[in-house]
Every structure is written in structure tokens, then in C-alpha cells.
Amino acid sequence: MTDAVGSIDMPDAQDEAPDSKKKARKGGKRGKKGPLARLALFYRQIVAELRKVVWPTRSQLTTYTTVVIVFVVIMIGLVTVIDYGFSHLIKYIFG
């Protein structure tokens, strides 16, 4: 079975033999930065990702909100009817 990278059965050539000259760093890029720098980087990445979001228009938002509210009301009604039925069934069985 293959995918865009390679085969699952046969790993890529770079995965087969690690280069002995390179020394593995424990922390990677985060190893050299302090906690405030990492927090600032995290915040910048959040802002960058939020800029990529396609926000819904006002009419789409109204439609989605209406659908959710109607669905929740229907589910509340369904659970209420089932609960009412079970309570009367238990009263009937146990008197």
C-alpha cells in the first residue's frame, strides 16, 4: 500500500539509516528559547491561524444558529417525552 510519501512496508531511505554525523538535539527548536519566547511564539501562531479562518457571513450565521436551536428544542422535547413515558411505566409496574 503506497501513499504520497512512500510505502508503508518499506520506509523512506532517510528513515532507514540515521546519519551518524548529526547529533540529535533533545529540545529541538524549543531547547534554546525561554518560556516567555515560547508563549509569544504560540500566541503569534494562534493569530496567524485565525487569519486563515473563513468566517461565515451574517446570514450564514443566522441560518446555522437557527438550525442548532431548532435541533436542540426537538431533542429536548424527545428526551422529555421519553422521560415522561418511562416515569409512568415505572409507576405502573411498581405501583
Side-chain angles (χ1 to χ4, degrees):
M1 175 165 229
T2 61
D3 55 5
V5 176
S7 173
I8 293 174
D9 298 330
M10 297 186 64
D12 294 337
Q14 62 189 8
D15 293 338
E16 289 177 1
D19 192 68
S20 60
K21 295 178 185 178
K22 291 184 180 180
K23 186 176 179 182
R25 289 182 7 196
K26 286 186 180 180
K29 290 183 180 178
R30 291 191 285 169
K32 294 183 178 179
K33 295 182 181 178
L36 291 178
R38 287 187 293 183
L39 187 62
L41 175 64
F42 180 68
Y43 179 72
R44 283 194 306 268
Q45 288 174 345
I46 288 173
V47 171
E49 288 297 322
L50 284 175
R51 286 186 182 140
K52 295 177 188 178
V53 173
V54 178
W55 297 99
T57 62
R58 184 173 293 273
S59 65
Q60 289 174 331
L61 188 64
T62 305
T63 302
Y64 298 156
T65 304
T66 304
V67 167
V68 168
I69 290 173
V70 167
F71 177 77
V72 168
V73 167
I74 289 172
M75 292 308 294
I76 288 172
L78 182 66
V79 169
T80 302
V81 167
I82 291 172
D83 183 51
Y84 184 76
F86 278 138
S87 67
H88 279 286
L89 181 66
I90 295 299
K91 285 181 185 177
Y92 178 76
I93 292 173
F94 295 110

